[in-house]
Amino acid sequence: MSPESQGQNEHYLSVARRGFRTWRGDRPFWAGLFTMLGGVPIMYFPYANMHLGNVTLAMSTTAGAGSLIIGVLLVTLGLTMWFHSIVRVFAGVAAILLALISIPVANIGGFLIGFIFALLGGALSVSWAPGVPAAEAEPAPAEEAPETVSFAKDEPLPEGAFHGAGVPEQQAPYDTTVEGGRHRAG
């Protein structure tokens, strides 16, 4: 081992953590996680039994199958957001619609817990956009500020000057007159 080889002594957990961070950054990770977390209570509560002493409370209704289908679809959409992020907009819209449908079908959307998580995950998925790598990002060209011209109060403005701003008025590159109901470029 030479002192120049720096990558050989790294702990495998550090390497795994960095790899997971890279994987997480290339996809709508939080959107998928929230969508899956929203699907779990929606499909769990209709089949859950709560025991209070000797009394068993069951939340199962006739909509239990609908709740199960909505919950499984939300978990599937969350996994789709993770592993096939190209369809993130479709998956996000579908998650939002399923969250809205879960309110009347699945015990008020899993007692609003599943509804809120699924709605948040769908919104995050629709709004997520892949980042541009730093090597491909080009710096934006710097725009030059227009020259400011100051005039004395009593001095008349030169022809073509915009009153009040101190910047000469610029002419439009085309004629914006309306002829026959259509804008025509000169």
Side-chain angles (χ1 to χ4, degrees):
M1 274 194 151
S2 69
E4 284 118 25
S5 62
Q6 298 170 359
Q8 303 235 346
N9 295 330
E10 290 189 46
H11 196 266
Y12 67 93
L13 287 178
S14 297
V15 173
R17 185 177 51 87
R18 248 184 279 126
F20 175 70
R21 185 181 294 168
T22 302
W23 178 83
R24 187 184 69 196
D26 293 340
R27 61 202 76 247
F29 175 78
W30 294 107
L33 182 67
F34 285 142
T35 303
M36 286 187 282
L37 286 176
V40 170
I42 288 174
M43 68 179 157
Y44 172 75
F45 286 133
Y47 295 102
N49 292 330
M50 187 168 65
H51 300 285
L52 295 173
N54 292 331
V55 178
T56 301
L57 297 175
M59 291 298 300
S60 54
T61 62
T62 57
S67 300
L68 183 65
I69 290 171
I70 290 172
V72 167
L73 284 174
L74 283 171
V75 170
T76 304
L77 287 171
L79 290 171
T80 301
M81 291 173 197
W82 277 2
F83 296 109
H84 197 66
S85 62
I86 194 78
V87 293
R88 68 189 179 278
V89 175
F90 168 76
V93 170
I96 291 171
L97 290 176
L98 285 171
L100 292 172
I101 290 171
S102 74
I103 291 176
V105 172
N107 296 327
I108 312 170
F111 299 116
L112 294 178
I113 298 167
F115 167 72
I116 290 173
F117 276 130
L119 199 64
L120 180 63
L124 286 173
S125 179
V126 168
S127 66
W128 185 84
V132 179
E136 293 180 18
E138 296 179 10
E143 295 184 21
E144 295 180 16
E147 292 182 22
T148 58
V149 180
S150 60
F151 300 102
K153 278 188 168 183
D154 297 334
E155 184 180 335
L157 294 175
E159 185 178 327
F162 182 72
H163 181 69
V167 178
E169 185 178 11
Q170 297 179 355
Q171 296 293 327
Y174 52 88
D175 186 17
T176 58
T177 59
V178 178
E179 297 174 359
R182 298 173 67 173
H183 294 284
R184 308 252 177 185

